[in-house]
Amino acid sequence: MELVTGHGQPRFGQSRQMDLHTHFPSRFASSPLWSFTLMTSTTERAQVTQGEVGKAIASGEFVSMTTLYNRIPDSVPAPITWGTYAADPNIHFFLCDFIEMSDGLPGIQAFTAKIAELHTKDLSPNGKYGFSVPSYLGQMPQYTAWIDSWEEFFTNSLKQLTSSIEEVHGPDVEWGELLEVTINKVVPRLLRPLETGGRQIQPRLVHGDLYAGNVSVDAETGAPILFDATCLYAHNGCSFGTYPSVLREHLHAFQDAAEACPDRFIRYDLPRRLDTSRLVLAQLLRVPVDEVVFVPNATTGVNTVLRNLRYAPRDAIVYFATIYGACEKTVEYLCETTPVSGVRIEAVYPVEDHVLVRMLRDAVRGVKRKGGRVRVAMFDTVVSVPGVRMPFEQLVEVVRREDPGILTLVDGAHGVGHIPLDLGKLDADFFVSNCHKWLFTPRGCCVLHVPKRNQPLMRSSLPTSHGFIQLSDRPPIPNPLPASPEKSAFVSQFEFVGTIDNAPYLCVPAALQFRRDVCGGEERIMEYCASLAHDAGKLVADALQTEVLDNSTRTLSRCCFANVRLPLEVGTDRNKGQIPHEDIARATTYMARVFVDDYNTFIAVFPYAGNWWVRLSAQVYLELKDFEWCARVLKEVCGKVRRREYLGQVKL
């Protein structure tokens, strides 16, 4: 050994870089330190501690790092040994390979992939929470006793952490009060649902002290490096809590840039970045980029279209009864404030596609027979409640055949990222689709597509802002924002619509990259989710001994939703568990609250066509066993409703 230097800032003891020179081949020879010598040089890392606690710290880290190294060897320095100084039995050490690390944190995708690999490779050897030897957070011992319950293990960990702090600083009354509330109320509320109601979780190997100070990057390979482990077999959420997701990182970066220099960002950076987001989304939807703008959500998009149009007496807006409630209320508002009237098509599912097409055609013809004119026909891609796919392509076509002058407005709130879309081929007059529902962008982000032929109809954003071009002869109202003469009036007026958070719009490229690089691309995502929805619907219906809502041609379920009837009946016979008609709203509200409060989840239940239904939504982060748990929860909650436990708990 020729050189010993200080290296790093561990939570305990001292860390040193030691250079060992030898004339013989070594298992460490692949990473020479000194290029000016002819001898092979190896570099190792040592940590030194004192006393009995130090001995436990050194041995605990050796076992922890060895366990990690056996699972993910390319991201952990190889442990060598631990021991006690021969010259001083009070001093102990832990020795491992030295890895030259660069400044900064690893790339988020590589890092999270490595942590996911760790969590999937190693289950607890005995199915319990804990660890085989004591481990330490600095000088504080972690709770490592083997326990069957995650709630109990987590509670004991909090108690031990508090005890260790009080040994040094003494008791604190306020902290004691907070701890009591946390242990008796917060922990049971958040953790107990993970292990009750038929739900199960598995103890997984976690680093135990995973924060920015214990993570770095291998300067040679660029691989994520984890060190200073204090391992546990725990619930794997333990390791992810402090590291942001990919999209959240992008969102916060844009928000920080806007706050750092608002004028530069809003005036100059935002339009350029919006152009990038519009371009990638236009490519996905297969339309020209100058036909695509952003609005916060589909409701705003529908309002933007309907409120821009001019209506004459005897004009009508035709829509289906299952349109989103806020959109129907928009129609009602327009009926109150303009000459237009609303024509509601009463379609009750399940229904065949050709019937829906005929109903829309008949509604259009009915307005004409009465001397009226259908100004707009509005319908969904995928209905929200119940969650069924509409034959929107055929509906656009039948309207065009009946009267090319009728405008079609497609509410694709559940569209982009959910089902395949080719808006160029569809050629609807207006199309809105939320990106934050299925495309993985932050809320709120929605695309509004308006073909060039209809852009003159969209004279204003909602609200009207600086991009509005007045028609009057009065002097032009100045626009304080930089002009973009190369852009159309349509695009320009949606670039700045008052002071709002535009950062979600700018996350579209990152969302699409994540879907492509991590999830395998649009086609693979949609195939997986649609298949999962089909299997989940059958599983839950079998468990509840009910049925899935679908038509004979199975077209309603060609999406990522499944609607399953709940085993609840409306009636007055309490012995049969029937629910009085006047209690429908109260019971529905009760179920929604119970899902959140007692099961730490939310499941969409709704009364429809004389029954209660649950809408199951399949996403890439779910698998069939999640719906097995869902079925058990639904059975429990339906039992509560049949016993009328909602009485006295919900006031309407």
Side-chain angles (χ1 to χ4, degrees), residues 424-446:
K425 182 179 179 180
L426 179 66
D427 198 28
D429 290 296
F430 306 99
F431 189 98
V432 298
S433 187
N434 288 322
C435 301
H436 56 250
K437 286 190 179 292
W438 295 89
L439 203 66
F440 303 162
T441 69
R443 296 176 298 272
C445 180
C446 175

Side-chain angles (χ1 to χ4, degrees), residues 355-523:
V355 175
L356 293 171
V357 172
R358 186 185 69 233
M359 293 176 79
L360 178 57
R361 183 198 64 198
D362 291 347
V364 170
R365 292 179 179 179
V367 171
K368 287 184 176 181
R369 280 196 302 269
K370 296 178 181 179
R373 177 185 71 154
V374 176
R375 187 75 172 106
V376 184
M378 178 167 58
F379 41 84
D380 297 286
T381 52
V382 178
V383 177
S384 179
V385 176
V388 293
R389 178 167 176 159
M390 293 193 78
F392 62 95
E393 304 95 336
Q394 298 176 51
L395 296 174
V396 169
E397 183 59 32
V398 72
V399 170
R400 186 178 293 120
R401 288 199 308 266
E402 286 297 311
D403 185 347
I406 299 175
L407 298 171
T408 50
L409 169 55
V410 181
D411 181 358
H414 297 277
V416 62
H418 186 163
I419 57 175
L421 291 172
D422 184 340
L423 299 192
K425 182 179 179 180
L426 179 66
D427 198 28
D429 290 296
F430 306 99
F431 189 98
V432 298
S433 187
N434 288 322
C435 301
H436 56 250
K437 286 190 179 292
W438 295 89
L439 203 66
F440 303 162
T441 69
R443 296 176 298 272
C445 180
C446 175
V447 58
L448 168 61
H449 171 244
V450 181
K452 291 180 182 178
R453 66 178 183 271
N454 293 324
Q455 290 178 9
L457 299 174
M458 300 292 100
R459 296 203 50 243
S460 174
S461 59
L462 188 67
T464 301
S465 193
H466 295 301
F468 177 73
I469 299 176
Q470 62 201 79
L471 298 179
S472 68
D473 295 332
R474 287 177 291 181
I477 303 171
N479 183 346
L481 300 173
S484 300
E486 74 282 1
K487 296 179 183 177
S488 67
F490 171 71
V491 171
S492 295
Q493 71 176 326
F494 286 90
E495 280 190 343
F496 182 85
V497 186
T499 302
I500 63 172
D501 183 7
N502 293 283
Y505 303 160
L506 310 184
C507 294
V508 171
L512 291 176
Q513 181 179 357
F514 178 85
R515 292 168 68 83
R516 181 179 63 251
D517 296 348
V518 178
C519 304
E522 299 301 310
E523 183 177 352

